[in-house]
Amino acid sequence: MAELERPQRLQIMLTDEELAALENWRFEKRMPSRSAAVRELLRRGLASDGFLTANAGVKSQDFGVISSERAAGDGSGDSKP
C-alpha cells in the first residue's frame, strides 16, 4: 500500500447548512473533493487579515461557517461572543 501524502486526518462536525455552503462553494470553484475545498478555504482563511486570536471563553460551537456573527475578534477583547 502506498504511503499517504497527507497522513494527518482532521474530523469536523458541520450543520446541514454549513455542509451545503461548503458543497456549493466547492462546485462553484470546481474543486475536485471536499478535502481539497476545505484545505483551500483553510489556506485562504489563514492568509487573510482581521483575525489574531479568539476571545477568552469562546466555545467551539460559537465558530460557525455561515454565521454572520463572529466569535473571534481582533485580539483586543471588544468583540461580542
Side-chain angles (χ1 to χ4, degrees):
M1 182 178 202
E3 190 172 327
L4 294 174
E5 284 184 47
R6 294 181 176 93
Q8 301 301 319
R9 183 176 294 259
L10 174 66
Q11 182 177 356
I12 63 169
M13 304 295 290
L14 300 175
T15 65
D16 290 339
E17 293 83 11
E18 291 171 336
L19 181 59
L22 173 63
E23 289 292 292
N24 289 339
W25 186 86
R26 171 189 169 202
F27 288 116
E28 287 172 10
K29 302 299 183 193
R30 299 179 183 247
M31 300 297 294
S33 66
R34 277 184 190 165
S35 293
V38 169
R39 284 191 300 271
E40 177 61 16
L41 289 168
L42 283 169
R43 185 190 69 75
R44 290 177 182 206
L46 291 170
S48 72
D49 291 334
F51 182 90
L52 298 178
T53 58
N55 292 327
V58 177
K59 298 177 183 173
S60 178
Q61 67 190 23
D62 296 332
F63 290 87
V65 174
I66 59 174
S67 171
S68 61
E69 297 280 327
R70 287 189 58 176
D74 60 3
S76 64
D78 57 358
S79 295
K80 291 182 181 177

